[in-house]
Amino acid sequence: MVTSTVIGSTLSFSYPLLSLVLEREGVGTGLIGLNAALSGLAVFVLAPWLPRLINRLGPVRSICLGQATCIVCFLGFPVQVDLLAWSGLRFLLGGGVAVAWIACEAAVNALAEESARARIMGVYATLFCIGYALGPLLIGLTGSEGLAPFLLAAGLILVSVLPLGLARGAGEIMAEPGTSDLPRVLRLAPFALGAILVFGLVETTLFTLMPVYGLEAGYDEADAGLLLSVLIAGNVVFQVPIGWLADRLSRRGTLLGCAAAGLVSLLLWPWVMRDLGLALPCLVIGGGALGGLYTLSLTLLGERFRGGDLAVANTAFVLTYQTGAMVGPALVGLLMAWAGGEALPLALAGTLALFLVLGARTVRRDP
């Protein structure tokens, strides 16, 4: 969990840092965006081999390999700011993060007791979200110039591997024979993977376009940023209570309830967003509910898969998340350009409504 917190920080720290450096060097926004996309592309390219790699090395050594790759990349970036060289490093960074991220989630799920799995994954999701929120703040400490931000990132990653000696039990559990068949995972866990697809789409779209929505709603830049911070705060606060509830009730039913609460929150935006006092509680509840999709879909994968199957299950999990993250901002951005700012909450509400319909049918068919 400590390591995954740093992975979240690494992800959210690298995007603005590398973009700021490239922009200062005169690289256009289009090329900066393409360079950033290489991190996500690495997951898709490497996915067929990642489960075999993690099962062969075990989770602890896989995490160390992934983190070592990230350290090499962060130390390599400041050597020369060259777009072509950075493209290769960006791809390697995405691959290193993917290996460590998948192995971390699989290890936590392997070690979690079934009776408390959702609560444990709630703690995991909370820490990951805190790490993700802290990443951009690190730039405020170091700035984006010189070696300092890159050395800080490499140092944090190095420190994060120290607790891994305590996670050796996960290797024994995951050493059981498993599969590397991604299509089989899709067939066995359509509900959990559908939930993380929706979460990836909704979360990344909100992170990308919510500040723009806030400006169109009449807020200044500071308050528009506050809206996103409050949404993240709701995610942080509610994951453990959601996990506690899911361990006592139906986990699938709780996940559908989170989707329904997120849907209601988004539908209220056109009426509450003009008043900050009404917007903030709506965002806290909506952020917590939407974060529950991540926590509980990960819980359901751990409930469904065991041993070596966890590596391929979590690879499918990350692939599905990345698919939603790539599709959401582009499509919703086009809708906002055509129909205005209110297309943001309404398009995301429509996505959640579709998931609720299809998800409920899946649960009835395979309870």
Side-chain angles (χ1 to χ4, degrees):
M1 287 187 181
V2 171
T3 303
S4 73
T5 303
V6 177
I7 291 172
S9 296
T10 302
L11 276 171
S12 61
F13 179 63
S14 66
Y15 282 108
L17 170 63
L18 299 179
S19 296
L20 287 170
V21 175
L22 287 174
E23 192 274 337
R24 192 166 56 246
E25 292 294 318
V27 178
T29 54
L31 289 175
I32 291 174
L34 288 174
N35 185 260
L38 289 171
S39 292
L41 178 64
V43 181
F44 290 90
V45 173
L46 299 175
W49 295 278
L50 291 180
R52 294 189 186 93
L53 175 69
I54 293 170
N55 283 333
R56 177 168 296 182
L57 295 180
V60 172
R61 284 188 290 178
S62 296
I63 294 168
C64 290
L65 173 63
Q67 298 292 69
T69 303
C70 293
I71 290 173
V72 169
C73 291
F74 274 110
L75 295 179
F77 282 122
V79 172
Q80 183 179 4
V81 183
D82 176 80
L83 187 62
L84 182 61
W86 275 36
S87 296
L89 288 172
R90 202 70 179 263
F91 185 88
L92 287 175
L93 180 65
V97 169
V99 171
W101 186 8
I102 291 167
C104 270
E105 290 189 342
V108 174
N109 243 331
L111 291 167
E113 297 178 4
E114 186 57 43
S115 61
R117 185 179 301 280
R119 277 170 288 171
I120 292 170
M121 300 320 295
V123 174
Y124 169 86
T126 299
L127 290 174
F128 187 86
C129 186
I130 290 173
Y132 203 89
L134 289 177
L137 299 179
L138 296 176
I139 294 180
L141 298 176
T142 65
S144 63
E145 299 184 9
L147 292 174
F150 299 98
L151 293 177
L152 175 62
L156 287 173
I157 295 169
L158 182 62
V159 170
S160 76
V161 304
L162 297 180
L164 290 177
L166 301 174
R168 286 174 293 179
E172 300 172 5
I173 298 170
M174 292 177 62
E176 300 171 13
T179 180
S180 58
D181 185 1
L182 285 169
R184 175 176 173 269
V185 175
L186 295 172
R187 291 194 301 271
L188 291 176
F191 180 73
L193 294 178
I196 198 59
L197 175 69
V198 170
F199 175 78
L201 188 154
V202 172
E203 181 198 50
T204 311
T205 302
L206 289 174
F207 268 64
T208 305
L209 298 174
M210 193 169 177
V212 178
Y213 177 87
L215 292 175
E216 290 192 10
Y219 295 101
D220 59 26
E221 287 188 3
D223 284 341
L226 175 64
L227 297 178
L228 184 56
S229 298
V230 170
L231 193 79
I232 296 171
N235 192 343
V236 170
V237 168
F238 278 101
Q239 296 320 297
V240 174
I242 287 172
W244 179 86
L245 187 66
D247 281 332
R248 282 159 175 76
L249 304 173
S250 163
R251 288 169 180 167
R252 293 185 172 198
T254 305
L255 194 155
L256 289 173
C258 287
L263 169 63
V264 171
S265 172
L266 288 165
L267 289 176
L268 289 174
W269 279 27
W271 289 275
V272 303
M273 279 299 178
R274 306 295 173 179
D275 184 332
L276 193 60
L278 295 175
L280 296 185
C282 181
L283 289 172
V284 169
I285 295 171
L290 293 171
L293 300 182
Y294 183 96
T295 298
L296 296 179
S297 57
L298 196 55
T299 300
L300 290 173
L301 282 185
E303 181 182 280
R304 171 78 71 162
F305 298 97
R306 295 286 188 275
D309 285 342
L310 281 170
V312 69
N314 278 93
T315 301
F317 182 91
V318 171
L319 274 174
T320 308
Y321 173 89
Q322 289 285 3
T323 301
M326 291 173 66
V327 170
L331 290 182
V332 178
L334 290 173
L335 282 173
M336 289 177 69
W338 174 64
E342 297 304 344
L344 174 66
L346 296 179
L348 297 183
T351 303
L352 285 166
L354 180 62
F355 169 73
L356 280 168
V357 172
L358 298 178
R361 292 173 64 181
T362 302
V363 170
R364 285 198 298 268
R365 187 172 62 246
D366 184 20

